[in-house]
Each structure stands twice: as structure tokens, then as C-alpha cells.
């Protein structure tokens, strides 16, 4: 679902002055945007979120849902845990985030539960068999004037303005009904950083349907099955080809079963300096000719650290694997593949793989930047 629940608008949230945002001192490498979200493209030089916009502090569902959909730049401070599920509207489980937003948790215990965030670039046309009676009965129709595009579109018109420039940091995502964060439909320039994810109904973070230039960094994941997708469908080649460029670095995947991430079609996807621990299914998956560079990660007690044989039709993914550490873990598949190098797009520095467990434990997740 796309829109906010109907009803009277809540009162305006409290505005704060910029001096009231305090960031805990951290090493520069912990607080720095690195990767594809920092790449200049689509008319943007980098990802800056709500920089320059009003600062709004929220502590309840109504205020939160309203401000993240504001059409102006906003820095949204989340104070405490907010349950996004409305008992009067249990079918509404995802909530739209518009362009130029920074959503930042305050302290160590702030975040959202029950629902998830949708960073949706554009709207697609409804299928021919669409039945309005199947839609969420309390879904607002306030955005019906927004243009819709064919679901198989491969290039948006030059005047299209997909959602972009979103930062999501220092939030606890607990028991999301579906995906905790969905980046889709040509959204671009998104930075997902220093969050904690646990127990989603579907995925923690899915990036799909022509989206591009995303960085996922310094997050902690636990109690997930299908943790992350990069590319949702084997048949979406024309829309995804040349897009879905994502950097995953300094994340901690603790007992997350699989898809950490699973990548289809995209090239390059960069997976470096992550800690994988006791992943029952597999660590990183590459399929449908995706090109993934996997370097300087630490795999601990992972039977299948890397797989490139996940496509049911037998189309393998391509991997470049180097400088990883495998402790009580299986071996990666042999590969002589070539993949476009991330260093062609951005500069980055890596830690030694042996340093990663201690680094992500100390500096990953919530309570580090706030």
C-alpha cells in the first residue's frame, strides 16, 4: 500500500533548533558515507537527506507518518519506539518516505515496530485485473494525482522525479509485518546506516525494480530468514540492468539464515568488511549473471559463505572473491569471473577481514551516531 491512513491531520509536531541534535564522537570512518549512495549521478552529487530542512521530533505514529511524507526537506528525530500498526487499520503495514528526508533515532532505544518504510521512486500502473475492493480499506487517496508508469518501464521520462535522497539511521526495526525497508521503483541515493533489524515478517531490506545508488552500512541483523534482496525477480532483467548498484559494508549478520544479500542481475554490487556468523543457509548469493565483488569479509561458522548457483534455470552469478577469512566455514565456489570494479565509481578503504568482528560489534548498530 502506498498512502497514509485517512482521518484528521494530527497536530503539527514540535520543531527543534539544530543545536539540539548531538552526535556522539566516533572515528571518522564510522560516521562517513562511503559507497554508491555517495556517487554523483541523476543530477545529485551525493546523498544528503533532509539537510537544510526543518528539524522535527516525533514520538507517535500519527506525527511520524505525516512528516516522512512531507514534500519538503525534513530531519525527523524519532524519540522512543513507535508502533506503526493502527488497530483500526491493520492492513496498512508500509509507510511512504518522500525525497529529502533524514530519519534519525535518538539515543539507543528509538525506532519503529509493526510496520515498515517504503522508499518508492514512482508509482506503477495498476494491473488490468485490479479490484479496488482488495485494497486496504483505510488507505488514503491523497496521492491519486501522482503520475503512474507501466510496471515494465525501463526508462522514466525526463520530467519524472522519482523519490531520492533519503537517509535512515540509528533506528531499531522490530517485528516489521512485511519488509522493514523497501527501496523500489527507480528510487535512488539512499543511505541505510547504523540500524538494528530483528524479526521481520519478510525481508529486512529489499532493493528492487530499477532502484540505484544505495549504501547499506554499519547495521546489525538478527533473527531474519530472507534478510536482503538486491533484485526481486529473475525476469526483471530489462528494468534492473545497469541499476541496482549497492554497497554493503561493515554490517553484522548474526544467525541470519540467508540472502545476506541475494543479488540478481545487478553489476557491480560491492560486499566488503561484513561479519557473517552462524548463517544457517548461506551468506552472500549471486544469480542471473549478477556481478558481485566480495572482499575482506569475516565468515564464522557459515557452511556456505558464498553461492553462485541459486537460479533454478541454472544461470550462475559472477563473483570476484578476495581477502576474506573463513573460520570454521565452507569454501567459496571457484571462479575466474570478472566484475566491474567498485573502485571505478568511488574511493574506499578497507579494514583487514580479521579486524571486522570487533569493529562491527563496537561501532555497528544503534547508539553510535545520534
Amino acid at each position: 500500500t502506498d498512502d497514509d491512513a485517512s482521518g484528521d491531520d494530527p497536530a503539527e509536531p514540535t520543531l527543534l533548533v539544530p543545536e539540539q541534535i548531538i552526535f556522539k564522537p566516533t572515528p571518522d570512518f564510522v560516521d562517513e558515507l562511503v559507497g554508491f549512495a555517495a556517487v554523483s549521478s541523476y543530477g545529485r552529487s551525493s546523498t544528503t537527506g533532509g539537510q537544510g530542512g526543518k528539524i522535527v521530533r516525533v514520538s507517535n505514529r500519527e506525527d511520524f507518518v505525516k512528516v516522512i511524507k512531507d514534500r519538503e526537506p525534513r530531519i525527523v528525530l524519532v524519540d522512543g519506539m513507535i508502533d506503526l500498526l493502527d488497530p483500526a487499520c491493520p492492513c496498512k503495514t508500509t509507510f511512504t518516505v518522500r525525497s529529502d528526508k533524514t530519519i534519525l533515532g535518538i539515543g539507543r532505544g528509538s525506532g519503529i515496530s509493526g510496520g515498515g518504510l517504503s522508499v518508492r521512486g514512482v508509482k506503477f500502473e495498476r494491473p488490468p485485473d485490479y479490484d479496488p475492493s482488495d485494497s486496504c480499506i483505510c488507505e488514503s487517496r491523497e496521492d491519486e494525482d501522482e503520475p503512474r508508469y507501466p510496471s515494465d518501464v525501463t526508462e522514466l521520462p525526463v520530467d519524472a522525479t522519482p523519490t531520492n535522497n533519503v537517509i535512515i539511521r540509528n533506528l531499531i526495526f522490530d517485528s516489521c509485518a512485511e519488509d522493514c525497508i523497501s527501496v523500489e521503483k527507480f528510487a535512488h541515493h539512499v543511505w541505510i546506516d547504523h540500524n538494528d533489524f530483528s524479526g521481520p515478517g519478510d525481508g529486512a531490506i529489499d532493493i528492487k525494480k530499477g532502484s540505484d545508488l544505495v549504501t547499506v552500512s554499519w547495521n546489525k541483523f538478527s533473527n531474519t530468514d530472507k534478510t536482503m534482496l538486491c533484485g526481486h525477480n529473475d525476469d526483471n532483467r530489462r528494468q534492473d540492468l545497469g541499476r541496482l548498484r549497492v554497497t554493503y559494508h561493515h554490517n553484522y549478520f548474526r544467525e541470519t539464515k540467508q540472502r545476506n544479500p541475494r543479488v540478481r542481475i545487478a553489476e557491480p554490487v560491492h560486499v566488503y568488511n561484513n561479519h557473517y556468523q552462524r548463517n544457517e543457509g548461506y551468506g552472500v548469493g549471486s544469480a542471473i549473471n549478477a556481478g558481485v565483488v566480495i572482499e575482506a569479509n569475516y565468515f564464522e561458522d557459515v557452511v556456505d559463505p558464498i553461492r553462485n548457483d541459486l537460479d533454478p534455470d541454472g544461470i550462475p552469478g559472477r563473483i570476484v572473491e578476495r581477502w576474506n577469512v573463513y573460520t570454521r566455514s565452507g569454501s567459496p565456489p571457484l571462479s575466474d569471473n570478472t566484475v566491474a570494479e567498485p573502485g571505478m565509481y568511488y574511493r574506499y578503504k578497507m579494514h583487514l577481514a580479521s579486524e571486522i568482528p570487533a569493529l562491527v560489534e563496537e561501532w555497528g548498530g544503534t547508539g553510535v551516531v545520534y
Side-chain angles (χ1 to χ4, degrees), residues 78-98:
V78 178
D79 187 0
M81 290 297 296
I82 298 176
D83 186 352
L84 289 183
L85 290 188
D86 182 354
C89 184
C91 55
K92 179 71 173 175
T93 59
T94 58
F95 299 84
T96 299
V97 181
R98 286 207 170 99

Side-chain angles (χ1 to χ4, degrees), residues 248-275:
Y248 301 90
H249 74 87
H250 291 91
N251 300 289
Y252 182 15
F253 300 96
R254 181 172 62 86
E255 298 178 354
T256 56
K257 185 174 181 180
Q258 59 182 321
R259 300 186 180 183
N260 305 290
R262 172 174 175 158
V263 184
R264 297 175 170 96
I265 302 165
E267 181 185 6
V269 169
H270 193 193
V271 180
Y272 77 94
N273 277 175
N274 301 285
H275 183 197

Side-chain angles (χ1 to χ4, degrees), residues 38-264:
V39 170
S40 177
S41 187
Y42 302 109
R44 296 207 59 84
S45 61
S46 185
T47 301
T48 57
Q51 186 178 76
K54 290 182 179 180
I55 302 169
V56 184
R57 185 171 186 152
V58 296
S59 58
N60 61 71
R61 176 190 178 278
E62 290 75 16
D63 289 347
F64 178 77
V65 169
K66 179 179 179 180
V67 74
I68 65 174
K69 288 189 65 176
D70 198 308
R71 295 184 185 275
E72 299 298 323
R74 293 286 183 263
I75 297 173
V76 183
L77 303 185
V78 178
D79 187 0
M81 290 297 296
I82 298 176
D83 186 352
L84 289 183
L85 290 188
D86 182 354
C89 184
C91 55
K92 179 71 173 175
T93 59
T94 58
F95 299 84
T96 299
V97 181
R98 286 207 170 99
S99 296
D100 306 318
K101 298 293 181 295
T102 296
I103 306 174
L104 177 69
I106 297 175
R108 294 180 178 274
S110 296
I112 61 176
S113 63
L117 304 180
S118 173
V119 185
R120 184 198 64 223
V122 297
K123 282 188 171 183
F124 285 169
E125 294 174 351
R126 297 188 175 103
D129 58 353
Y130 171 74
D131 184 351
S133 65
D134 294 335
S135 298
C136 185
I137 58 173
C138 45
E139 180 179 314
S140 168
R141 292 288 141 215
E142 64 187 51
D143 298 333
E144 282 301 289
D145 59 334
E146 292 185 0
R148 291 182 179 269
Y149 301 93
S151 61
D152 60 352
V153 64
T154 58
E155 295 289 343
L156 293 178
V158 294
D159 60 345
T161 55
T163 296
N164 68 92
N165 194 32
V166 172
I167 297 174
I168 302 170
R169 303 185 87 186
N170 199 48
L171 293 176
I172 296 169
F173 289 85
D174 181 44
S175 302
C176 309
E178 298 180 43
D179 294 337
C180 292
I181 301 176
S182 176
V183 182
E184 62 176 327
K185 300 176 183 176
F186 295 93
H188 62 87
H189 285 95
V190 179
W191 185 22
I192 302 168
D193 178 72
H194 280 96
N195 304 289
D196 289 337
F197 296 87
S198 179
D202 193 359
I205 303 172
D206 281 4
I207 301 166
K208 56 192 180 182
K209 298 182 181 179
S211 294
D212 203 9
L213 302 181
V214 180
T215 293
V216 179
S217 56
W218 295 101
N219 301 285
K220 290 184 176 180
F221 302 87
S222 62
N223 189 28
T224 65
D225 180 2
K226 302 172 183 178
T227 312
M228 293 191 292
L229 284 179
C230 181
H232 76 295
N233 191 292
D234 295 352
D235 298 324
N236 212 51
R237 180 184 305 274
R238 295 180 65 245
Q239 194 173 78
D240 292 341
L241 198 62
R243 300 185 178 90
L244 299 181
R245 292 171 293 181
V246 183
T247 305
Y248 301 90
H249 74 87
H250 291 91
N251 300 289
Y252 182 15
F253 300 96
R254 181 172 62 86
E255 298 178 354
T256 56
K257 185 174 181 180
Q258 59 182 321
R259 300 186 180 183
N260 305 290
R262 172 174 175 158
V263 184
R264 297 175 170 96

Side-chain angles (χ1 to χ4, degrees), residues 2-59:
D2 295 328
D3 306 307
D4 184 16
S6 60
D8 296 335
D9 287 341
E12 286 292 330
T14 304
L15 297 180
L16 298 181
V17 296
E19 288 75 16
Q20 289 177 271
I21 295 184
I22 300 174
F23 289 92
K24 176 182 176 181
T26 56
D28 289 343
F29 65 81
V30 173
D31 202 21
E32 179 184 7
L33 171 58
V34 177
F36 278 112
V39 170
S40 177
S41 187
Y42 302 109
R44 296 207 59 84
S45 61
S46 185
T47 301
T48 57
Q51 186 178 76
K54 290 182 179 180
I55 302 169
V56 184
R57 185 171 186 152
V58 296
S59 58

